Amino acid sequence: MNPVPYMETLRRIAADMGPQRGFQASLKALLALLAERHGFLRPHLVIFDPETRTLRLCVAGGAPRSEQVVYEPGMGVTGQVFVTGKPVIVECLKGHPVFLSKFFVRTEEELSSLAFLSVPVLAPQAGWEAGREQARKVIGVLSLDTPCAPREVLEQHRCFLEVVAGMIAAQAAYLQDDMARQQRLAERRGERPHVAGNLDGGIVAVSPPMCEALQRATYAGHGHGPVLLRGEPGTGKARVAAFIHAASMRNELPLVRFYGSRLNASGPDGLSEEQAERELFGYRKGAFPGAVQTRKGLFELANCSTLFVKDIDRLSLSLQSRLLHVLQDQAVTRVGGGQPVSVDVRFICSASADLEALVASGEFLEDLYNRISVFPILLAPLRERPEDILPLAELFLKAAAEAAGRVVERISTPAQEMLMRYPWPGNGNELARCMEQAVQGCDDLVLRAAHLPASLRHDGESRSALPFNDAVARFEQELLVDALQHARGNMLQAARDLQVSYRIVNYKVKKYNIDPRSFA
């Protein structure tokens, strides 16, 4: 046996392991690697779905008959491997009494020339004790076709496949958890998609960058490790943190939040470093003047739930050090000492600053950076995802109108164009404030360009700075374009909507050189 090809494949698998591409994508790449390097055919992973108690095809390196095909435990070779927890080698597929060939189409020639290998995927081992073999349940089955060969060669392939199955056990467990999670979320939301924020209070994922970020956030919801949300202020990091928590197995308990921006900030919400330490880690009775009773900190309050620390880059080195110890030890020591209190907390944090630069300058602990940056999610600024601007504007408009007790049904076409031209340096936060300000001055069912802040005008001029006649002409054009847009180019309908004669609409269309057909 030449172990070199196997070892090189295992090395490449180990190097690619991790959630960077998502579990589904990384497993698909792994199966492609098995086919490419060893000539294996149709490698596929089947996962046991505890909700339906069936074996479902989860990832395949070939085109299956249907992704809806399932196996019952004990059915066929796959079902037997799941029930017994022992690998099976079928030396030749043709005429085998148990092999069912349900997942893939195989020709008669292939059935005569191919063997089949199937090994169990065991749940990840939580711990190990010397001299004691721990019982581990089977959560899936990894199988593939390979050309018929002597039994010795097939045994070598089987040993190699068992090692691969052990390496992907964690990903398989995540996928099994995901099956249960998707079932719960489907029941809870009636199969509604994750768009425009049923979970999150304002996430819009239309643009490719935001769709990718939200997909990674979904993967993060499956996991248990720290998550780092990166992006400019106002890009929605707090909303994505709430999304991750809602998509996790901990969503029965509330998300606990700490805002680093409050540290040393002025105003009633500002915190000194000592107050922030007490809020995060709690304190014992008598730890300082005024500590008349022992109080839990946010880490203890987030036990079995999720703690979100916003703007972790604002924390002092002292607070960073204490935070690192809690994440390493999964235990918190309150201010004033005492025995450490064990906590089971999912940790999510966000940063707007360049953490790598802060580490290089000694302003951020390198060990803490390494611990929190295992699963980073980058949220692009709004100027790099223009597809999200109008859906977000409509979302914020609806919220602002409801808060103000007004009815604003839509945004006019000229106003939409103005929103799209603006670069939004303040990102989503600035857009939300813009909609709030616009609603305050809107006394119509339609939000028009005149209602938007003057700072949004691409030429930097406010409407009041224009000559009177020019301002009137611009407003006329806006009303006319909006009416034609709404009437889909029908000038008669536009005249009815504007409550003027057709003759006036026709005159204004020619005056401003507007082509009604462009709105059809």
Side-chain angles (χ1 to χ4, degrees):
M1 170 184 177
N2 181 9
V4 174
Y6 293 126
M7 296 302 294
E8 176 60 21
T9 302
L10 294 176
R11 184 194 66 78
R12 289 180 57 176
I13 291 173
D16 291 341
M17 294 289 277
Q20 289 78 8
R21 288 185 294 182
F23 301 118
Q24 197 93 13
S26 62
L27 286 171
K28 201 166 185 67
L30 181 149
L31 297 184
L33 184 65
L34 295 181
E36 174 192 340
R37 290 187 55 82
H38 301 279
F40 296 142
L41 303 173
R42 305 180 185 92
H44 57 280
L45 174 64
V46 172
I47 299 293
F48 177 66
D49 183 353
E51 295 292 322
T52 61
R53 303 200 62 78
T54 57
L55 294 161
R56 291 173 47 191
L57 183 64
C58 196
V59 188
R65 294 176 188 266
S66 168
E67 294 184 359
Q68 305 305 316
V69 175
V70 297
Y71 273 74
E72 299 286 341
M75 177 188 292
V77 175
T78 300
Q80 289 189 359
V81 170
F82 174 77
V83 170
T84 64
K86 297 179 179 179
V88 168
I89 297 176
V90 177
E91 297 187 40
C92 182
L93 296 179
K94 188 173 181 61
H96 192 277
V98 181
F99 185 75
L100 300 179
S101 193
K102 289 183 65 175
F103 286 139
F104 301 94
V105 175
R106 297 174 176 87
T107 65
E108 285 296 319
E109 181 181 353
E110 286 181 314
L111 290 173
S112 301
S113 61
L114 292 178
F116 184 73
L117 306 179
S118 187
V119 301
V121 178
L122 306 179
Q125 194 161 341
W128 181 81
E129 296 180 22
R132 180 181 175 186
E133 182 70 23
Q134 291 190 316
R136 296 165 63 191
K137 67 177 181 179
V138 181
I139 58 175
V141 178
L142 179 62
S143 307
L144 52 80
D145 295 354
T146 186
C148 291
R151 182 76 183 191
E152 179 184 357
V153 174
L154 296 178
E155 288 287 357
Q156 293 171 4
H157 289 336
R158 188 265 307 164
C159 289
F160 166 68
L161 200 60
E162 285 185 301
V163 175
V164 173
M167 296 178 72
I168 66 171
Q171 281 89 337
Y174 282 128
L175 292 175
Q176 187 181 54
D177 289 343
D178 185 47
M179 287 180 180
R181 183 187 67 84
Q182 293 286 2
Q183 181 68 25
R184 290 200 318 275
L185 293 180
E187 292 171 356
R188 186 177 301 177
R189 299 189 187 93
E191 301 286 359
R192 288 181 293 176
H194 294 295
V195 177
N198 295 317
L199 282 174
D200 49 82
I203 292 180
V204 168
V206 178
S207 65
M210 198 61 195
C211 286
E212 181 180 350
L214 203 59
Q215 183 183 41
R216 285 183 60 77
T218 303
Y219 292 140
H222 306 171
H224 310 283
V227 178
L228 172 61
L229 304 173
R230 309 193 66 165
E232 295 179 6
T235 48
K237 297 185 288 294
R239 291 188 177 98
V240 174
F243 178 91
I244 294 172
H245 173 69
S248 75
M249 303 294 288
R250 300 170 181 258
N251 60 10
E252 300 298 329
L253 296 173
L255 173 68
V256 179
R257 299 173 174 88
F258 176 83
Y259 294 92
S261 55
R262 296 171 58 201
L263 193 61
N264 298 321
S266 58
D269 292 333
L271 294 176
S272 67
E273 185 168 334
E274 292 77 14
Q275 290 172 323
E277 184 180 29
R278 297 166 195 164
E279 185 169 322
L280 277 169
F281 309 111
Y283 56 83
R284 294 186 66 194
K285 179 180 179 180
F288 55 88
V292 295
Q293 62 182 5
T294 297
R295 179 163 294 181
K296 294 180 178 180
L298 295 182
F299 268 100
E300 290 183 75
L301 294 176
N303 189 42
C304 297
S305 186
T306 305
L307 174 63
F308 172 53
V309 174
K310 189 174 185 291
D311 299 316
I312 194 172
D313 46 297
R314 302 281 191 92
L315 302 188
S316 66
L317 289 173
S318 174
L319 287 174
Q320 292 175 34
S321 179
R322 288 209 60 172
L323 183 60
L324 176 61
H325 285 303
V326 175
L327 296 180
Q328 288 174 334
D329 303 335
Q330 286 292 292
V332 61
T333 302
R334 297 170 181 153
V335 174
Q339 290 295 319
V341 180
S342 296
V343 289
D344 174 15
V345 174
R346 175 74 185 282
F347 187 73
I348 303 175
C349 61
S350 71
S352 302
D354 185 344
L355 289 181
E356 291 79 7
L358 293 180
V359 170
S361 64
E363 299 174 73
F364 200 87
L365 296 179
E366 184 175 5
D367 287 346
L368 180 59
Y369 170 77
N370 292 334
R371 181 162 286 273
I372 65 174
S373 60
V374 174
F375 197 105
I377 300 176
L378 177 64
L379 302 180
L382 199 52
R383 62 183 175 274
E384 294 179 8
R385 44 188 182 98
E387 301 93 335
D388 295 333
I389 292 175
L390 293 182
L392 269 176
E394 292 170 355
L395 192 70
F396 294 144
L397 173 64
K398 180 181 178 182
E402 289 178 355
R406 302 190 180 190
V407 178
V408 184
E409 294 181 350
R410 59 191 176 88
I411 304 172
S412 73
T413 301
Q416 290 181 15
E417 293 173 353
M418 190 175 293
L419 293 172
M420 292 298 293
R421 286 196 301 263
Y422 187 66
W424 299 109
N427 295 298
N429 289 349
E430 184 181 8
L431 179 55
R433 290 193 300 269
C434 171
M435 290 296 103
E436 291 172 4
Q437 183 177 341
V439 165
Q440 293 302 319
C442 180
D443 55 358
D444 195 351
L445 294 178
V446 180
L447 187 74
R448 305 191 185 279
H451 301 131
L452 297 174
S455 59
L456 266 64
R457 307 188 190 287
H458 69 282
D459 57 3
E461 292 183 289
S462 68
R463 183 172 296 276
S464 60
L466 292 172
F468 177 77
N469 289 337
D470 290 346
V472 170
R474 181 179 290 185
F475 188 59
E476 274 190 345
Q477 289 181 62
E478 178 185 329
L479 289 175
L480 190 55
V481 167
D482 187 47
L484 288 169
Q485 174 82 18
H486 191 250
R488 300 190 180 186
N490 187 322
M491 290 200 295
L492 185 60
Q493 182 60 48
R496 293 194 189 103
D497 293 341
L498 292 171
Q499 299 181 23
V500 297
S501 68
Y502 175 84
R503 182 181 62 81
I504 291 177
V505 169
N506 187 48
Y507 168 73
K508 296 293 184 182
V509 162
K510 293 177 180 177
K511 176 182 177 181
Y512 297 123
N513 195 27
I514 298 172
D515 183 6
R517 292 172 298 181
S518 65
F519 302 104

